[in-house]
Amino acid sequence: MKRAIPVLVLSVAGLIPVWRYAPSHDTGSSSATQAAAPASTPSVSSSGGTTTTVVSGSTLDTEKGPVQVEVTFSGDRIASVRMLQQPDHPQTRAAVPKLIEETLRAQSADIDTVSGATITSDGYKESLQAAIDARG
């Protein structure tokens, strides 16, 4: 009887991840990532001698859903990154702030993949690189 309670508690604790599991939705494509739309043309504004450029990256259809970023450049630096499209998935929602933080730190698309969100990370980096390339 002394073992029954710990066994029951550990069994329930082991089943919680199974209950919370959310399967991905297959988009029907055989490749993990394919470009759906090219990066947008840069939008430029100037105030106080600093040029601000806003560029949208390519939209990428991943196994988890579409991924697209918008990058704001202040002069030659990446000032901010915003997700225009992202999969509605818990791992993606957790990964996006980390990806944006890494981008601002690295000032490039050469950043680490977030563990548990590899597909979204790869789509993010590809869309980010397309935006950087479109800016010129």
Side-chain angles (χ1 to χ4, degrees):
M1 186 64 172
K2 291 181 183 181
R3 292 184 187 173
I5 292 174
V7 168
L8 180 63
V9 170
L10 291 173
S11 296
V12 170
L15 288 174
I16 289 174
V18 174
W19 289 328
R20 293 184 48 97
Y21 176 74
S24 64
H25 300 285
D26 189 13
T27 59
S29 66
S30 60
S31 65
T33 306
Q34 60 187 45
S40 71
T41 306
S43 165
V44 179
S45 66
S46 182
S47 62
T50 303
T51 303
T52 302
T53 309
V54 179
V55 184
S56 296
S58 300
T59 302
L60 292 127
D61 289 322
T62 68
E63 292 174 21
K64 301 286 184 183
V67 175
Q68 183 182 24
V69 301
E70 178 183 81
V71 182
T72 302
F73 296 92
S74 180
D76 290 336
R77 297 192 48 83
I78 296 174
S80 67
V81 179
R82 183 171 72 106
M83 293 295 287
L84 296 178
Q85 296 184 59
Q86 71 184 44
D88 184 26
H89 199 270
Q91 284 126 338
T92 298
R93 287 190 293 274
V96 167
K98 294 174 186 174
L99 291 167
I100 292 171
E101 182 181 332
E102 281 287 315
T103 301
L104 295 175
R105 188 176 307 127
Q107 290 294 306
S108 74
D110 186 21
I111 59 174
D112 291 333
T113 299
V114 175
S115 179
T118 304
I119 293 169
T120 300
S121 296
D122 290 345
Y124 172 91
K125 291 191 289 187
E126 195 168 330
S127 183
L128 177 64
Q129 187 61 56
I132 292 170
D133 292 345
R135 180 179 175 268

